[in-house]
Amino acid sequence: MTDRLILIRHSQSRPAPGLAPSHYPLTELGRRRCRALAARLAAYAPDLIVASDERKTRETAALTAAHMGLPHVVAPDLHEHRREQVGWLAQEQFDASVQAGFAQPDARVFGEETFNQARDRFAGGVRAALAQHAGHRIAIVTHGTVLALFIAQHAGVAAMPFWHSLGMPAIVVVALPGYRLLEVVEQVRE
């Protein structure tokens, strides 16, 4: 096992009415930002990029890995808080729904799972990815809400402000074991 884990919020994606969030593609700007993400990630020297099974993370991982000459894989349980049935929401309404989820993490107030269920599932996915790729320094491309929930649990930060601080893409580096917060790059720009 390595001494750190690199967690990445996916690059900029394009929400679209009628399209489930797990199918949102990257924008053209999001695709270009993967080159800057690769340059920034080089300092952390990952051996492998692991992505959730959602389109925006798979695209972020594939493009970033190609720029770095690294392999990339998809792993289970690293996806965003399940909200496939919610439908498209305006930004203000979406933010209010996320706030409600953070405020009531054991209640299913938004989406198909509670925020604590999403956090616990994601934590299990992280543990499984680390075990499967033991001996490698991995970077996991994931999503803002589960990333904020995970970091809030391990670093004692408030989830909502942390979630709001993360751009697309963003980098969060934690120490292993224990997930102690080492560094946050709130926004990688081209």
Side-chain angles (χ1 to χ4, degrees):
M1 184 171 293
T2 62
D3 62 340
R4 69 184 68 169
L5 170 65
I6 306 129
L7 298 166
I8 301 165
R9 184 181 189 189
H10 61 81
S11 198
Q12 186 183 62
S13 60
R14 181 178 48 250
L19 195 59
S22 62
H23 298 288
Y24 292 169
L26 293 184
T27 64
E28 191 54 43
L29 176 61
R31 295 175 69 76
R32 289 193 314 266
R33 283 184 179 168
C34 289
R35 182 177 298 279
L37 176 60
R40 191 70 188 254
L41 279 178
Y44 306 108
D47 302 312
L48 172 71
I49 298 178
V50 179
S52 88
D53 60 0
E54 294 191 30
R55 181 177 176 180
K56 56 192 162 261
T57 55
R58 291 190 328 264
E59 289 180 6
T60 300
L63 291 167
T64 304
H67 292 306
M68 297 180 77
L70 294 177
H72 69 281
V73 297
V74 172
D77 296 327
L78 301 172
H79 57 273
E80 181 59 289
H81 165 256
R82 274 291 174 228
R83 43 188 176 237
E84 297 293 289
Q85 305 305 314
V86 171
W88 186 82
L89 300 173
Q91 190 63 50
E92 186 175 295
Q93 189 179 9
F94 178 75
D95 287 355
S97 297
V98 171
Q99 174 63 46
F102 284 135
Q104 301 175 62
D106 286 316
R108 205 177 111 203
V109 296
F110 175 52
E112 292 87 59
E113 63 185 343
T114 71
F115 274 38
N116 279 346
Q117 288 170 332
R119 181 203 61 211
D120 294 346
R121 177 210 6 99
F122 177 75
V126 168
R127 286 190 303 274
L130 288 169
Q132 182 174 2
H133 304 289
H136 295 278
R137 180 171 289 164
I138 64 172
I140 295 177
V141 182
T142 190
H143 308 269
T145 308
V146 290
L147 179 53
L149 289 163
F150 183 78
I151 295 300
Q153 179 181 34
H154 293 286
V157 300
M160 185 70 179
F162 189 79
W163 175 77
H164 255 293
S165 75
L166 297 175
M168 292 185 222
I171 302 169
V172 179
V173 183
V174 296
L176 294 175
Y179 308 118
R180 182 174 50 85
L181 187 60
L182 296 174
E183 184 177 356
V184 178
V185 178
E186 292 178 348
Q187 175 73 64
V188 176
R189 299 191 190 280
E190 58 175 331

